[in-house]
C-alpha cells in the first residue's frame, strides 16, 4: 500500500499521504476481487479526497469500508431449509452440471449409482405430489 501511495504522490508531485490505522485495517480485511487495479484505484480516490496528510476512513469507498457479513443460518428471517431439501438441490445441481449423466453425477457425489437412483426416485415422488391431491387411502 505504501508503494502505491508513493507512486500516486510522485505522479501528482505531492507529498506522500499515509493511511489512518483503522483505514489500513479496513484495506487489509477487504477481499479485493479486482486485485491490484482495484486497490490502486481506491487509494488514488482516497488521496484525491483527502486534503490533509492522513487518509481517513471516510475517503475509502463504502463497498470496501463496510463489511458485509452473511448472517448465521439460524439468524436468517426465513425458515431454514431441511437437510433433505439441501441434498435434493445439490444432487439436482450436480446432475445438471454433468449434463444429466447419472453415472458421472454419482461419481462426483461420491455415492453408488444405485443410491443416486434411489434418491432421485424419492425426489420424483415428492415432486409429483401436490397439496391439492388427497393422501392415498389405506385399505
Amino acid at each position: 500500500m505504501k508503494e502505491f501511495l508513493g507512486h500516486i504522490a510522485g505522479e501528482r508531485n505531492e507529498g506522500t499521504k499515509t493511511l489512518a490505522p483503522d483505514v489500513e485495517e479496513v484495506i487489509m480485511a477487504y477481499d479485493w476481487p479486482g486485485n491490484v487495479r482495484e486497490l490502486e484505484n481506491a487509494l488514488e480516490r482516497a488521496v484525491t479526497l483527502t486534503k490533509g496528510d492522513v487518509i481517513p476512513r471516510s475517503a475509502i469507498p463504502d463497498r470496501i469500508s463496510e463489511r458485509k457479513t452473511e448472517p448465521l443460518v439460524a439468524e436468517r428471517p426465513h425458515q431454514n431449509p431441511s437437510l433433505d431439501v439441501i441434498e435434493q438441490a445439490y444432487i439436482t445441481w450436480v446432475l445438471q452440471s454433468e449434463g444429466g449423466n447419472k453415472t458421472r453425477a454419482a461419481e462426483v457425489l461420491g455415492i453408488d449409482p444405485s443410491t443416486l437412483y434411489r434418491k432421485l426416485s424419492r425426489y420424483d415422488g415428492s415432486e409429483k405430489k401436490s397439496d391439492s391431491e388427497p393422501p392415498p387411502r389405506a385399505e
Side-chain angles (χ1 to χ4, degrees), residues 37-105:
R37 193 168 294 142
E38 184 180 4
L39 172 60
E40 187 173 20
N41 289 338
L43 290 175
E44 190 169 349
R45 176 185 182 271
V47 166
T48 302
L49 294 175
T50 302
K51 294 193 185 333
D53 292 337
V54 179
I55 298 171
R57 188 175 187 152
S58 60
I60 301 298
D62 290 342
R63 72 179 186 286
I64 296 167
S65 64
E66 293 177 357
R67 285 189 175 216
K68 294 180 176 89
T69 57
E70 183 68 23
L72 295 175
V73 174
E75 295 173 351
R76 292 182 183 163
H78 53 70
Q79 184 180 6
N80 294 324
S82 68
L83 186 56
D84 286 339
V85 169
I86 293 169
E87 179 188 61
Q88 180 179 358
Y90 182 62
I91 288 173
T92 302
W93 178 77
V94 169
L95 190 58
Q96 287 174 350
S97 68
E98 294 302 321
N101 184 326
K102 293 177 182 170
T103 303
R104 180 69 191 125

Side-chain angles (χ1 to χ4, degrees), residues 102-121:
K102 293 177 182 170
T103 303
R104 180 69 191 125
E107 288 175 20
V108 170
L109 292 166
I111 60 176
D112 191 80
S114 64
T115 302
L116 177 60
Y117 281 98
R118 187 173 56 253
K119 288 180 180 289
L120 290 173
S121 68

